[in-house]
């Protein structure tokens, strides 16, 4: 009994950074997960997903309606949700399919995993995310099956979303977004993308042809959802995060340490003497 060996519980979060971001931006919840900038993007996604899952689980309530986007980091997070099977959630796909080649990181697959782990039902949005013609898009939105899913999105209390950019978007990666439309979105001031909706530095949707051809939760719907949680990894989404906060599109943030540091540095650089920037202001 003279020598004792103890193992201290690992603390995965940077609480001081969380407090600074929460104060600076007025977010309801912030989780900053440890991970330096030297890690590969895939490793950062695993860290955010693994340790962010407990944060999301603590924010969910039984019988919640959850609007769910796809994405690689959300894919990692959902697979680490503690299995209970008793939450009775209604998980609703927040954006149509990117293309016919459904990936494990797309919302259809991520949603099925989420309800399998936590319990509930998954409502699929069985349409493409992007329609070449507005009139075809509008006709699809009138279908009872699609309209029903949109109505459930309007009832969501929680949304789990990722943030993309013009340079790093699933639509560019999968060839849905062509060079001409990229130029139009650039002219429209696009700095970020959420659920297929491209927005400007104020968090307003860019007035381009793309806006009228997307089938997904609208930014107006997202603003009405009480708890929109952005799950982000990496330092290239800083402008998108700032714009989403400014436009009151997100209320909570789960991010890696390097991304959090970049976010604070950008805010300090842009407004060194300001006390804080409030979400939705």
């Amino acid at each position: 009994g003279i020598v004792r060996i103890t193992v201290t519980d690992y603390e995965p979060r940077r609480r001081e950074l969380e407090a600074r971001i929460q104060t600076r931006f007025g977010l309801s919840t912030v989780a900053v997960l440890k991970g330096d900038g030297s890690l590969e993007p895939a490793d950062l996604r695993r860290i955010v997903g693994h340790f962010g899952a407990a944060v999301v689980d603590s924010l969910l309530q039984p019988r919640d309606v959850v609007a769910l986007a796809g994405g690689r980091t959300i894919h990692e997070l959902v697979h680490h949700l503690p299995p209970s099977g008793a939450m009775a959630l209604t998980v609703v796909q927040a954006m149509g399919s990117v293309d016919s080649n459904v990936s494990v990181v797309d919302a259809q697959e991520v949603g099925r995993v989420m309800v399998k782990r936590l319990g509930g039902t998954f409502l699929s949005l069985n349409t493409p995310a992007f329609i070449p013609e507005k009139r075809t898009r509008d006709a699809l939105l009138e279908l009872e099956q699609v309209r029903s899913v949109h109505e459930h999105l309007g009832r969501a209390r929680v949304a789990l979303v990722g943030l993309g950019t013009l340079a790093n978007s699933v639509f560019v990666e999968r060839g849905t977004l062509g060079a001409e439309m990229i130029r139009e979105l650039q002219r429209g001031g696009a700095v970020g993308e959420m659920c297929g909706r491209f927005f400007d530095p104020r968090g307003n949707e860019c007035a381009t042809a793309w806006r009228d051809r997307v089938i997904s939760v609208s930014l107006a719907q997202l603003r009405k959802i009480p708890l929109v949680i952005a799950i982000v990894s990496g330092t290239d989404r800083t402008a998108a995060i700032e714009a989403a906060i400014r436009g009151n599109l997100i209320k909570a943030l789960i991010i890696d340490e390097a991304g959090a540091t970049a976010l604070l540095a950008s805010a300090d650089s842009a407004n060194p003497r300001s006390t804080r920037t409030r979400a939705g202001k």
Side-chain angles (χ1 to χ4, degrees):
I2 296 174
V3 176
R4 296 181 181 181
I5 299 173
T6 60
V7 178
T8 304
D9 288 339
Y10 176 67
E11 171 54 79
R13 295 170 61 173
R14 288 289 306 273
R15 303 284 181 172
E16 71 281 8
L17 288 179
E18 293 175 359
R20 287 175 60 194
I21 291 174
Q22 199 164 6
T23 299
R24 182 81 186 225
F25 296 101
L27 295 169
S28 63
T29 300
V30 177
V32 176
L33 290 315
K34 292 177 181 176
D36 61 49
S38 66
L39 293 173
E40 292 294 322
D43 293 326
L44 281 178
R45 288 193 292 268
R46 292 188 192 101
I47 288 171
V48 173
H50 182 89
F51 294 109
V55 180
V56 169
D57 183 62
S58 71
L59 296 172
L60 293 174
Q61 299 174 7
R63 303 191 180 279
D64 264 341
V65 178
V66 182
L68 181 68
R72 292 168 293 186
T73 309
I74 292 179
H75 163 80
E76 293 287 347
L77 184 146
V78 165
H79 277 78
H80 286 94
L81 287 169
S84 67
M87 291 288 285
L89 303 175
T90 300
V91 180
V92 190
Q93 184 177 339
M95 183 182 76
S97 304
V98 178
D99 56 29
S100 58
N101 182 24
V102 178
S103 164
V104 294
V105 304
D106 288 341
Q108 300 100 309
E109 296 303 315
V110 174
R112 292 187 184 99
V113 172
M114 186 171 184
V115 297
K116 183 177 180 179
R117 295 185 73 83
L118 299 183
T121 57
F122 174 62
L123 300 182
S124 177
L125 189 55
N126 292 320
T127 69
F130 178 74
I131 308 296
E133 295 182 352
K134 181 181 182 299
R135 62 182 180 180
T136 305
R137 193 280 307 262
D138 292 345
L140 285 172
L141 289 175
E142 290 300 316
L143 295 175
E144 173 59 29
Q145 180 181 355
V146 178
R147 191 165 65 246
S148 173
V149 174
H150 262 275
E151 288 172 358
H152 276 87
L153 286 170
R155 300 178 195 139
R157 189 190 73 86
V158 181
L160 302 180
V161 302
L163 285 170
T165 67
L166 269 177
N168 191 354
S169 165
V170 65
F171 295 102
V172 175
E173 182 182 309
R174 307 264 280 267
T176 305
L177 189 60
E180 184 178 345
M181 186 58 73
I182 289 175
R183 288 192 291 270
E184 185 175 344
L185 285 164
Q186 287 172 334
R187 290 193 295 271
V191 297
E193 174 262 320
M194 183 186 300
C195 297
R197 304 285 178 177
F198 285 90
F199 50 88
D200 65 18
R202 301 299 305 172
N204 298 317
E205 190 165 8
C206 298
T208 66
W210 177 272
R211 178 181 64 178
D212 298 325
R213 301 175 189 175
V214 174
I215 296 182
S216 76
V217 63
S218 69
L219 296 190
Q221 284 177 308
L222 282 168
R223 289 188 179 96
K224 294 177 181 179
I225 295 174
L227 183 58
V228 181
I229 308 169
I231 297 101
V232 186
S233 63
T235 59
D236 63 336
R237 319 296 170 93
T238 296
I241 297 169
E242 289 179 304
I245 294 172
R246 200 173 289 120
N248 199 29
L249 298 175
I250 64 174
K251 288 84 174 179
L253 178 65
I254 299 175
I255 191 170
D256 63 284
E257 181 178 349
T261 302
L263 178 62
L264 285 168
S266 176
D268 290 342
S269 174
N271 227 341
R273 294 191 178 183
S274 89
T275 54
R276 65 187 64 175
T277 302
R278 285 295 185 187
K281 297 295 183 182

